[in-house]
Amino acid sequence: MTMEELDRLLALEDGDAALVFLCGKRGREPQIGETRMAQARKKLGSAGMLPSSFIERPSYSAGEIAQSKLTDPGFRAVVDEAERLMGKALSPSDLQTLHSIRHWRGLPSGVLLMLLHYCAGEKKYITSMKQVDKEAGFWEKEGIDGEAEAERFITRKEASREATAKIYKRIGIFGREPGATEKRYVASWVEMGFSPEAIAIAYDKTTQNAGWPAWAYCDKIIRRWHENGWHTPEQIERNDKKTPAVQRNEAAGSYERNKEALRRVKGEGR
């Protein structure tokens, strides 16, 4: 939420309008009843502040889009960059999507340019404008509508992406696409704040004690460290006093539970 939006919202002096606006920015439905909801939306609409999540996506004519390109240098720059990143002229459908991100979602041109480059990623190429629109919806819900917020978000995501790539390499996943389970676990560990080196320690403990890369067991180790506030290799080596025998027993128990669950799924042992 920008300071300009805050000032405009305060000027309305309407609690329901403020609630509807904030819920709309987060993609939620306020529980205030139809009458109050209608009045709040009317007041926000008259002030030009109704979030896009409460407005049906409009359809723009080719003339309207062409006019925007002529009169709005920022939007023209967005179109030019989108065409460069897609390697082709934008289709009428692509232009509709891009125009609605700018005017319906209300994303400033500078932020939209940053969004395009974020979606292009390391490949430096955008395959679908639908991908851009989906990410724009996420940015809107997260309140990323300024260049400073976008910069912080992108920096955080790039750091997470680099850490994830290092983790895959450290635990021997390379030359292939990680599986869904592997992605889910690694993403959660990175979110907890563990470094590739720390996760490699947990993975080594898992393979040594369980005899195989049991993801659930590895996750149990990492979550125990997280609960104790041990996130760096130094903290882990200094504080994790569990003996190898205890770890082997835990791993064996986890292995037997997994086998039993598999038998139940197959309908065996009844």
Side-chain angles (χ1 to χ4, degrees):
M1 186 175 183
T2 65
M3 292 303 295
E4 179 187 357
E5 288 175 327
L6 179 59
D7 290 339
R8 291 170 64 192
L9 196 59
L10 289 172
L12 293 178
E13 297 184 342
D14 188 300
D16 283 348
L19 178 62
V20 170
F21 178 83
L22 293 173
C23 286
K25 295 285 277 188
R26 296 295 292 174
R28 299 174 183 173
E29 186 75 17
Q31 304 300 312
I32 59 174
E34 292 183 5
T35 301
R36 290 169 58 191
M37 179 72 166
Q39 292 173 344
R41 289 179 62 166
K42 183 177 180 180
K43 182 164 286 190
L44 287 169
S46 64
M49 297 188 67
L50 194 62
S52 65
S53 56
F54 290 132
I55 307 174
E56 185 177 353
R57 186 189 290 260
S59 177
Y60 303 97
S61 68
E64 288 177 304
I65 296 174
Q67 184 65 20
S68 290
K69 289 174 65 177
L70 285 173
T71 60
D72 184 351
F75 181 67
R76 185 167 62 250
V78 166
V79 172
D80 290 344
E81 188 64 5
E83 290 183 334
R84 188 185 72 80
L85 291 172
M86 293 190 77
K88 64 177 184 178
L90 297 184
S91 68
S93 176
D94 290 336
L95 287 169
Q96 278 276 348
T97 300
L98 202 58
H99 196 268
S100 68
I101 294 174
R102 173 67 187 91
H103 294 280
W104 177 62
R105 293 197 185 280
L107 216 59
S109 296
V111 179
L112 185 44
L113 284 169
M114 297 173 74
L115 173 67
L116 290 172
H117 282 275
Y118 174 75
C119 290
E122 295 179 354
K123 295 183 295 186
K124 308 297 183 185
Y125 184 78
I126 292 175
T127 57
S128 169
M129 196 55 64
K130 289 183 179 179
Q131 168 205 359
V132 177
D133 188 46
K134 182 178 180 180
E135 188 65 29
F138 175 76
W139 281 29
E140 183 182 14
K141 287 184 179 180
E142 292 298 306
I144 304 172
D145 54 8
E147 293 185 21
E149 292 93 341
E151 183 66 34
R152 285 193 292 269
F153 173 80
I154 292 172
T155 299
R156 187 170 69 250
K157 285 294 183 179
E158 286 180 347
S160 175
R161 191 178 298 163
E162 290 175 5
T164 299
K166 289 180 181 178
I167 290 168
Y168 288 144
K169 187 175 181 180
R170 290 296 297 267
I171 62 179
I173 299 177
F174 49 84
R176 68 173 177 85
E177 179 70 14
T181 298
E182 294 166 333
K183 288 181 178 180
R184 184 174 67 254
Y185 276 124
V186 170
S188 69
W189 300 338
V190 170
E191 188 68 24
M192 290 181 202
F194 286 95
S195 67
E197 293 75 19
I199 292 173
I201 294 173
Y203 187 80
D204 288 343
K205 286 179 179 289
T206 299
T207 54
Q208 289 169 11
N209 298 320
W212 60 303
W215 288 97
Y217 179 66
C218 190
D219 185 60
K220 184 177 180 181
I221 293 176
I222 291 175
R223 289 187 180 278
R224 176 167 58 82
W225 291 346
H226 182 61
E227 290 170 1
N228 286 284
W230 309 333
H231 294 89
T232 67
E234 294 76 18
Q235 291 171 331
I236 292 165
E237 296 294 349
R238 184 171 61 249
N239 295 296
D240 191 8
K241 303 300 182 182
K242 284 206 171 187
T243 65
V246 170
Q247 292 173 341
R248 281 195 296 272
N249 289 337
E250 287 184 351
S254 175
Y255 176 68
E256 290 301 323
R257 286 192 296 274
N258 287 338
K259 285 203 305 183
E260 178 60 29
L262 183 59
R263 283 197 295 269
R264 287 199 299 270
V265 169
K266 291 182 176 180
E268 299 174 359
R270 292 181 179 176

